[in-house]
Amino acid sequence: MLGEMTSRYRYRVVDVFTRRPLEGNPLAVFPDASGIDETTMQAIARELNLSETAFVLPATRPDCAARVRIFTPTREMTFAGHPTIGAAWVLLQDGIVPAGAGPFVLEEKVGPVPVRVDPGDPVDVGDPLIWLVTPPILEGRTYHPEVCARALGLRPEDLLAIAPQWLSAGNPTIFVGLRDKAAVDRAWLDLAGMKMLHEVPEEPVCVLVFAPAANGAYARMFAPEYGITEDPASGSSTGPLAAYMMRHDLAPAASGTRWTSEQGTRMGRRSILHVQILGARGAEGIEVGGYVAPLVEAVMTWE
């Protein structure tokens, strides 16, 4: 617990879903968090005030390389994409997972999350593209488009003619399709807007708005119930986004099974999330991948 003894823990801050520092989605990773209890993990995440902070622990499953616990400033997450990819990068950099060892698995609250590493192009030695396999996707209720438009400060005609829907791969999200990038950039959602979407009490959700683009999607994510006004990159929701787009024939046919989602641009943190569709229309899974840019190495000390 805080205050009981002097504690020193090394951590790194990396930017995920970008090759450029100070873009993408920032993440703090504590590569050896064995001595940190749950209450202190939450306090650290609140102190750092990033979208998420990841704490690496020994795995409890023999098939996993490590266990990762993920916290927003206000709560623990079952699964999140950019902490998975960012933690995997740190594990590789620190040699906790040997480079060249091949695919490995991280243990998270959602269950085992497979990870694989593309070494990158010959000119990008040391700049790997890290992929995760999206956990099973659950489908929930649909929402009235006019209610979603009001909650987002938009006009009903700004929405595509498809019903917004709740989907989750461990991070419940309402997906709202918009007609163009300009509508995506105009959208806004706060706690008052979230209350319009909660017709009955339920668990906190995020809201992802997107517009189809030639190379995939252009998106923004709002998560005020998680203490995150806007998330620069949402890896956990990009797999469900891909499934939702394929279901409604919105995926870019010219890009085949590989495309991208651009997120965070409106808030000055451009992120590129890579999508790989496995099997016919994702029947064998959906991978989400990204690059990682290192930024900070530091030690946190408290007494």
Side-chain angles (χ1 to χ4, degrees), residues 109-126:
K109 283 209 163 184
V110 75
V113 180
V115 173
R116 69 177 177 89
V117 182
D118 279 349
D121 299 325
V123 296
D124 293 322
V125 174

PDB file of all heavy atoms in Angstrom, residues 109-126:
ATOM      1  N   LYS A 109      -7.489 -10.109 -18.516  1.00  0.00           N
ATOM      2  CA  LYS A 109      -8.738 -10.497 -17.854  1.00  0.00           C
ATOM      3  C   LYS A 109      -9.732 -11.100 -18.827  1.00  0.00           C
ATOM      4  O   LYS A 109     -10.561 -11.927 -18.451  1.00  0.00           O
ATOM      5  CB  LYS A 109      -9.344  -9.287 -17.134  1.00  0.00           C
ATOM      6  CG  LYS A 109      -8.650  -8.957 -15.824  1.00  0.00           C
ATOM      7  CD  LYS A 109      -9.592  -8.317 -14.842  1.00  0.00           C
ATOM      8  CE  LYS A 109      -9.016  -8.367 -13.425  1.00  0.00           C
ATOM      9  NZ  LYS A 109      -9.959  -7.827 -12.435  1.00  0.00           N
ATOM     10  N   VAL A 110      -9.656 -10.693 -20.101  1.00  0.00           N
ATOM     11  CA  VAL A 110     -10.544 -11.259 -21.112  1.00  0.00           C
ATOM     12  C   VAL A 110     -10.176 -12.699 -21.439  1.00  0.00           C
ATOM     13  O   VAL A 110     -10.968 -13.457 -21.995  1.00  0.00           O
ATOM     14  CB  VAL A 110     -10.517 -10.387 -22.389  1.00  0.00           C
ATOM     15  CG1 VAL A 110      -9.228 -10.598 -23.176  1.00  0.00           C
ATOM     16  CG2 VAL A 110     -11.745 -10.636 -23.251  1.00  0.00           C
ATOM     17  N   GLY A 111      -8.942 -13.093 -21.100  1.00  0.00           N
ATOM     18  CA  GLY A 111      -8.431 -14.425 -21.427  1.00  0.00           C
ATOM     19  C   GLY A 111      -7.110 -14.315 -22.179  1.00  0.00           C
ATOM     20  O   GLY A 111      -6.500 -13.238 -22.240  1.00  0.00           O
ATOM     21  N   PRO A 112      -6.618 -15.405 -22.767  1.00  0.00           N
ATOM     22  CA  PRO A 112      -5.362 -15.374 -23.517  1.00  0.00           C
ATOM     23  C   PRO A 112      -5.512 -14.545 -24.796  1.00  0.00           C
ATOM     24  O   PRO A 112      -6.490 -14.686 -25.525  1.00  0.00           O
ATOM     25  CB  PRO A 112      -5.103 -16.850 -23.856  1.00  0.00           C
ATOM     26  CG  PRO A 112      -6.010 -17.626 -22.953  1.00  0.00           C
ATOM     27  CD  PRO A 112      -7.189 -16.767 -22.679  1.00  0.00           C
ATOM     28  N   VAL A 113      -4.545 -13.666 -25.053  1.00  0.00           N
ATOM     29  CA  VAL A 113      -4.559 -12.833 -26.254  1.00  0.00           C
ATOM     30  C   VAL A 113      -3.308 -13.152 -27.074  1.00  0.00           C
ATOM     31  O   VAL A 113      -2.197 -12.801 -26.675  1.00  0.00           O
ATOM     32  CB  VAL A 113      -4.586 -11.333 -25.901  1.00  0.00           C
ATOM     33  CG1 VAL A 113      -4.596 -10.486 -27.178  1.00  0.00           C
ATOM     34  CG2 VAL A 113      -5.811 -11.006 -25.037  1.00  0.00           C
ATOM     35  N   PRO A 114      -3.452 -13.843 -28.212  1.00  0.00           N
ATOM     36  CA  PRO A 114      -2.293 -14.158 -29.050  1.00  0.00           C
ATOM     37  C   PRO A 114      -1.695 -12.902 -29.684  1.00  0.00           C
ATOM     38  O   PRO A 114      -2.417 -11.989 -30.098  1.00  0.00           O
ATOM     39  CB  PRO A 114      -2.879 -15.085 -30.126  1.00  0.00           C
ATOM     40  CG  PRO A 114      -4.145 -15.627 -29.529  1.00  0.00           C
ATOM     41  CD  PRO A 114      -4.678 -14.504 -28.682  1.00  0.00           C
ATOM     42  N   VAL A 115      -0.371 -12.876 -29.748  1.00  0.00           N
ATOM     43  CA  VAL A 115       0.376 -11.757 -30.315  1.00  0.00           C
ATOM     44  C   VAL A 115       1.399 -12.317 -31.291  1.00  0.00           C
ATOM     45  O   VAL A 115       2.009 -13.360 -31.032  1.00  0.00           O
ATOM     46  CB  VAL A 115       1.096 -10.955 -29.204  1.00  0.00           C
ATOM     47  CG1 VAL A 115       2.003  -9.887 -29.799  1.00  0.00           C
ATOM     48  CG2 VAL A 115       0.083 -10.331 -28.247  1.00  0.00           C
ATOM     49  N   ARG A 116       1.583 -11.641 -32.417  1.00  0.00           N
ATOM     50  CA  ARG A 116       2.661 -12.014 -33.334  1.00  0.00           C
ATOM     51  C   ARG A 116       3.372 -10.754 -33.791  1.00  0.00           C
ATOM     52  O   ARG A 116       2.838  -9.653 -33.703  1.00  0.00           O
ATOM     53  CB  ARG A 116       2.137 -12.813 -34.522  1.00  0.00           C
ATOM     54  CG  ARG A 116       1.289 -12.032 -35.504  1.00  0.00           C
ATOM     55  CD  ARG A 116       0.880 -12.892 -36.698  1.00  0.00           C
ATOM     56  NE  ARG A 116       0.013 -12.170 -37.619  1.00  0.00           N
ATOM     57  CZ  ARG A 116       0.456 -11.438 -38.626  1.00  0.00           C
ATOM     58  NH1 ARG A 116       1.770 -11.309 -38.847  1.00  0.00           N
ATOM     59  NH2 ARG A 116      -0.386 -10.826 -39.442  1.00  0.00           N
ATOM     60  N   VAL A 117       4.583 -10.936 -34.293  1.00  0.00           N
ATOM     61  CA  VAL A 117       5.426  -9.798 -34.658  1.00  0.00           C
ATOM     62  C   VAL A 117       5.886  -9.944 -36.097  1.00  0.00           C
ATOM     63  O   VAL A 117       6.461 -10.965 -36.480  1.00  0.00           O
ATOM     64  CB  VAL A 117       6.664  -9.707 -33.730  1.00  0.00           C
ATOM     65  CG1 VAL A 117       7.511  -8.497 -34.094  1.00  0.00           C
ATOM     66  CG2 VAL A 117       6.229  -9.644 -32.275  1.00  0.00           C
ATOM     67  N   ASP A 118       5.608  -8.924 -36.917  1.00  0.00           N
ATOM     68  CA  ASP A 118       6.215  -8.813 -38.234  1.00  0.00           C
ATOM     69  C   ASP A 118       7.516  -8.038 -38.067  1.00  0.00           C
ATOM     70  O   ASP A 118       7.511  -6.956 -37.465  1.00  0.00           O
ATOM     71  CB  ASP A 118       5.302  -8.051 -39.195  1.00  0.00           C
ATOM     72  CG  ASP A 118       4.210  -8.927 -39.785  1.00  0.00           C
ATOM     73  OD1 ASP A 118       4.290 -10.147 -39.607  1.00  0.00           O
ATOM     74  OD2 ASP A 118       3.280  -8.380 -40.403  1.00  0.00           O
ATOM     75  N   PRO A 119       8.634  -8.552 -38.577  1.00  0.00           N
ATOM     76  CA  PRO A 119       9.916  -7.865 -38.343  1.00  0.00           C
ATOM     77  C   PRO A 119      10.029  -6.514 -39.026  1.00  0.00           C
ATOM     78  O   PRO A 119      10.901  -5.715 -38.678  1.00  0.00           O
ATOM     79  CB  PRO A 119      10.940  -8.855 -38.902  1.00  0.00           C
ATOM     80  CG  PRO A 119      10.173  -9.683 -39.891  1.00  0.00           C
ATOM     81  CD  PRO A 119       8.778  -9.792 -39.346  1.00  0.00           C
ATOM     82  N   GLY A 120       9.165  -6.225 -40.000  1.00  0.00           N
ATOM     83  CA  GLY A 120       9.255  -4.948 -40.705  1.00  0.00           C
ATOM     84  C   GLY A 120      10.045  -5.078 -41.988  1.00  0.00           C
ATOM     85  O   GLY A 120      10.656  -6.113 -42.278  1.00  0.00           O
ATOM     86  N   ASP A 121      10.012  -4.035 -42.765  1.00  0.00           N
ATOM     87  CA  ASP A 121      10.749  -4.019 -44.024  1.00  0.00           C
ATOM     88  C   ASP A 121      12.246  -3.939 -43.756  1.00  0.00           C
ATOM     89  O   ASP A 121      12.678  -3.521 -42.682  1.00  0.00           O
ATOM     90  CB  ASP A 121      10.323  -2.808 -44.865  1.00  0.00           C
ATOM     91  CG  ASP A 121       8.837  -2.860 -45.203  1.00  0.00           C
ATOM     92  OD1 ASP A 121       8.333  -3.975 -45.404  1.00  0.00           O
ATOM     93  OD2 ASP A 121       8.204  -1.790 -45.252  1.00  0.00           O
ATOM     94  N   PRO A 122      13.082  -4.347 -44.736  1.00  0.00           N
ATOM     95  CA  PRO A 122      14.536  -4.275 -44.526  1.00  0.00           C
ATOM     96  C   PRO A 122      15.026  -2.885 -44.124  1.00  0.00           C
ATOM     97  O   PRO A 122      15.989  -2.763 -43.378  1.00  0.00           O
ATOM     98  CB  PRO A 122      15.097  -4.689 -45.898  1.00  0.00           C
ATOM     99  CG  PRO A 122      14.028  -5.559 -46.489  1.00  0.00           C
ATOM    100  CD  PRO A 122      12.718  -4.970 -46.014  1.00  0.00           C
ATOM    101  N   VAL A 123      14.356  -1.822 -44.598  1.00  0.00           N
ATOM    102  CA  VAL A 123      14.794  -0.475 -44.243  1.00  0.00           C
ATOM    103  C   VAL A 123      14.314  -0.071 -42.860  1.00  0.00           C
ATOM    104  O   VAL A 123      14.697   0.962 -42.341  1.00  0.00           O
ATOM    105  CB  VAL A 123      14.301   0.557 -45.279  1.00  0.00           C
ATOM    106  CG1 VAL A 123      14.923   0.295 -46.626  1.00  0.00           C
ATOM    107  CG2 VAL A 123      12.775   0.563 -45.362  1.00  0.00           C
ATOM    108  N   ASP A 124      13.454  -0.886 -42.260  1.00  0.00           N
ATOM    109  CA  ASP A 124      12.899  -0.560 -40.949  1.00  0.00           C
ATOM    110  C   ASP A 124      13.344  -1.570 -39.894  1.00  0.00           C
ATOM    111  O   ASP A 124      12.568  -2.008 -39.061  1.00  0.00           O
ATOM    112  CB  ASP A 124      11.369  -0.536 -41.008  1.00  0.00           C
ATOM    113  CG  ASP A 124      10.847   0.606 -41.854  1.00  0.00           C
ATOM    114  OD1 ASP A 124      11.448   1.683 -41.783  1.00  0.00           O
ATOM    115  OD2 ASP A 124       9.859   0.414 -42.575  1.00  0.00           O
ATOM    116  N   VAL A 125      14.600  -1.959 -39.943  1.00  0.00           N
ATOM    117  CA  VAL A 125      15.110  -2.916 -38.977  1.00  0.00           C
ATOM    118  C   VAL A 125      14.909  -2.373 -37.560  1.00  0.00           C
ATOM    119  O   VAL A 125      15.209  -1.215 -37.271  1.00  0.00           O
ATOM    120  CB  VAL A 125      16.605  -3.197 -39.238  1.00  0.00           C
ATOM    121  CG1 VAL A 125      17.167  -4.092 -38.144  1.00  0.00           C
ATOM    122  CG2 VAL A 125      16.789  -3.830 -40.607  1.00  0.00           C
ATOM    123  N   GLY A 126      14.377  -3.204 -36.692  1.00  0.00           N
ATOM    124  CA  GLY A 126      14.121  -2.784 -35.326  1.00  0.00           C
ATOM    125  C   GLY A 126      12.812  -2.043 -35.155  1.00  0.00           C
ATOM    126  O   GLY A 126      12.528  -1.530 -34.079  1.00  0.00           O
TER     127      GLY A 126
END
